Amino acid sequence: HNLLKEFAQYLKRFVRTTDILTRYIGAGFVLMLPNTPKPRALSLAQRLCENIQKHSFKVRKIKIKLKTSISVINYPDDNISGVAGLIDALDKTVLRAKELGGNRICSYEAVTTKEKVLITKREEIEGLKINLKKAGKKLNQALLESIYAFAKAIEMRDHYTGEHVEKTVNIVREIAKELGLSQSKITNLEQAAVLHDLGKIGIDDNILRKKARLTEKEYEQIKKHPLIGAEIIRSIHFLKDVVPYILYHHERYDGKGYVAGLKGDEIPLGARILAIADVYQALISDRPYRKAYSKKKTVEIIKEGSGKQFDPIVVKALLRTINKNRKKD
């Protein structure tokens, strides 16, 4: 009873004045988020899950770590009818999250359809997570080598991604140095650059390899890869600082990006750096549906996106690194 009280008080830290937090059955709680888009609800669920895992709850001077299973239901967009349907959807989704081992986030959409959301290609993703956990016991250098090995697994499915990764690493490193970041933060950024497209392992090969432009529905699938990537690595201790960079690397400075619609300084600096490096490298590369832009045209596009898609400070840092490299050449 005391533990549930403390847990409820802890949940209240994440609740807005417009939200409703209530006790459900047993040790369950329901958090209602009025007028909240599904990506933002998923982002909050991710934060909750991560913070609860880290937090030590106290009962009679005994510290206890809790395991949580979180379901995300979008009512009424998930085609749920009435209160009875909502309760049934809640029970099914929580049960699915528990079946996956706890400390999981599961959407009702993932339970009722075959769409590749957070549990897409679960066996493949679970195998990857097991390998990453085993790698976590090795020395730092071996860990870094393991990370590159996992990135190569993506390269076999998407040739562009494989080539893109290594070049993006170099760009984020140069930007980070230009901004005077510490070596530890530079290392985190390098690892994030390697892993930022890891979530594509949960995306259909036909979409990844499509030579024509994607349809709106296919693009919605692609937009899920940051969530999938973050879900794969969030339980790996040595990568905990990397997760936000991967999760938010498609956010825009003006708030029009995905997955959570963050804007400005709400977006972690590492994600802002990774975002511009990702786009810059994509623009100067051949894609299945277009030829590479010239570096001159790419710089124009980056400048045009300053303050809109990109952080102006990071844009200036990138342009300085480009000018330095030109002088070296």
Side-chain angles (χ1 to χ4, degrees), residues 109 150 282:
E109 179 186 23
F150 294 128

Side-chain angles (χ1 to χ4, degrees), residues 46-156:
Q46 179 85 20
R47 276 198 303 129
L48 269 174
C49 197
E50 290 173 357
N51 281 280
I52 290 169
Q53 285 182 70
K54 295 174 186 176
H55 188 74
S56 294
F57 295 86
K58 292 181 182 179
V59 178
R60 296 177 183 175
K61 298 183 179 180
I62 299 174
K63 291 184 178 181
I64 298 174
K65 291 280 188 179
L66 296 181
K67 216 173 189 182
T68 55
S69 298
I70 302 177
S71 70
V72 177
I73 299 171
N74 191 18
Y75 180 86
D77 292 351
D78 278 338
N79 294 320
I80 298 165
S81 177
V83 176
L86 186 59
I87 292 173
D88 181 64
L90 177 62
D91 290 340
K92 284 180 179 177
T93 315
V94 170
L95 178 61
R96 179 58 177 159
K98 289 179 178 178
E99 288 173 348
L100 294 171
N103 284 338
R104 295 299 178 89
I105 302 158
C106 187
S107 70
Y108 184 63
E109 179 186 23
V111 173
T112 56
T113 72
K114 294 182 179 179
E115 287 188 16
K116 295 172 175 61
V117 193
L118 293 178
I119 60 171
T120 301
K121 296 196 174 183
R122 178 54 56 185
E123 289 183 2
E124 189 173 359
I125 289 173
E126 285 304 308
L128 182 57
K129 289 174 72 175
I130 289 169
N131 288 335
L132 277 167
K133 286 180 180 179
K134 289 178 180 177
K137 298 177 182 178
K138 300 178 182 180
L139 297 174
N140 287 341
Q141 183 57 37
L143 293 175
L144 196 56
E145 290 171 3
S146 296
I147 293 171
Y148 276 93
F150 294 128
K152 289 295 180 183
I154 303 297
E155 179 179 1
M156 300 200 51

Side-chain angles (χ1 to χ4, degrees), residues 15-275:
V15 175
R16 303 168 301 185
T17 55
T18 55
D19 298 336
I20 301 169
L21 177 66
T22 183
R23 178 89 175 272
Y24 188 49
I25 300 170
F29 290 82
V30 173
L31 178 57
M32 288 175 272
L33 311 170
N35 302 316
T36 302
K38 189 171 184 179
R40 194 173 286 275
L42 285 167
S43 177
L44 174 61
Q46 179 85 20
R47 276 198 303 129
L48 269 174
C49 197
E50 290 173 357
N51 281 280
I52 290 169
Q53 285 182 70
K54 295 174 186 176
H55 188 74
S56 294
F57 295 86
K58 292 181 182 179
V59 178
R60 296 177 183 175
K61 298 183 179 180
I62 299 174
K63 291 184 178 181
I64 298 174
K65 291 280 188 179
L66 296 181
K67 216 173 189 182
T68 55
S69 298
I70 302 177
S71 70
V72 177
I73 299 171
N74 191 18
Y75 180 86
D77 292 351
D78 278 338
N79 294 320
I80 298 165
S81 177
V83 176
L86 186 59
I87 292 173
D88 181 64
L90 177 62
D91 290 340
K92 284 180 179 177
T93 315
V94 170
L95 178 61
R96 179 58 177 159
K98 289 179 178 178
E99 288 173 348
L100 294 171
N103 284 338
R104 295 299 178 89
I105 302 158
C106 187
S107 70
Y108 184 63
E109 179 186 23
V111 173
T112 56
T113 72
K114 294 182 179 179
E115 287 188 16
K116 295 172 175 61
V117 193
L118 293 178
I119 60 171
T120 301
K121 296 196 174 183
R122 178 54 56 185
E123 289 183 2
E124 189 173 359
I125 289 173
E126 285 304 308
L128 182 57
K129 289 174 72 175
I130 289 169
N131 288 335
L132 277 167
K133 286 180 180 179
K134 289 178 180 177
K137 298 177 182 178
K138 300 178 182 180
L139 297 174
N140 287 341
Q141 183 57 37
L143 293 175
L144 196 56
E145 290 171 3
S146 296
I147 293 171
Y148 276 93
F150 294 128
K152 289 295 180 183
I154 303 297
E155 179 179 1
M156 300 200 51
R157 304 176 73 232
D158 180 3
H159 182 64
Y160 161 74
T161 296
E163 293 182 336
H164 173 72
V165 160
E166 294 183 12
K167 293 175 181 177
T168 305
V169 171
N170 293 330
I171 297 170
V172 298
R173 184 190 302 120
E174 291 183 10
I175 294 173
K177 288 181 179 177
E178 190 66 33
L179 291 172
L181 300 190
S182 67
Q183 184 54 53
S184 64
K185 289 184 178 179
I186 292 174
T187 299
N188 288 338
L189 263 168
E190 289 172 340
Q191 293 172 343
V194 173
L195 287 171
H196 74 283
D197 278 333
L198 190 63
K200 286 183 178 179
I201 202 167
I203 305 300
D204 192 282
D205 287 352
N206 292 329
I207 296 176
L208 286 179
R209 295 172 178 171
K210 186 175 180 180
K211 292 185 178 180
R213 285 192 176 274
L214 299 178
T215 64
E216 186 175 338
K217 187 175 181 180
E218 289 168 339
Y219 183 55
E220 287 302 312
Q221 290 295 314
I222 285 287
K223 284 166 66 175
K224 292 167 185 172
H225 79 269
L227 281 167
I228 297 171
E231 194 263 346
I232 290 172
I233 68 165
R234 67 181 174 81
S235 60
I236 313 304
H237 180 71
F238 86 98
L239 291 174
K240 62 182 175 62
D241 294 328
V242 174
V243 173
Y245 302 166
I246 293 171
L247 184 60
Y248 299 124
H249 78 276
H250 279 291
E251 302 291 350
R252 288 173 53 109
Y253 198 72
D254 59 10
K256 296 180 181 179
Y258 61 90
V259 296
L262 302 182
K263 66 179 181 179
D265 292 342
E266 292 176 351
I267 308 167
L269 176 59
R272 282 177 266 154
I273 293 171
L274 182 55

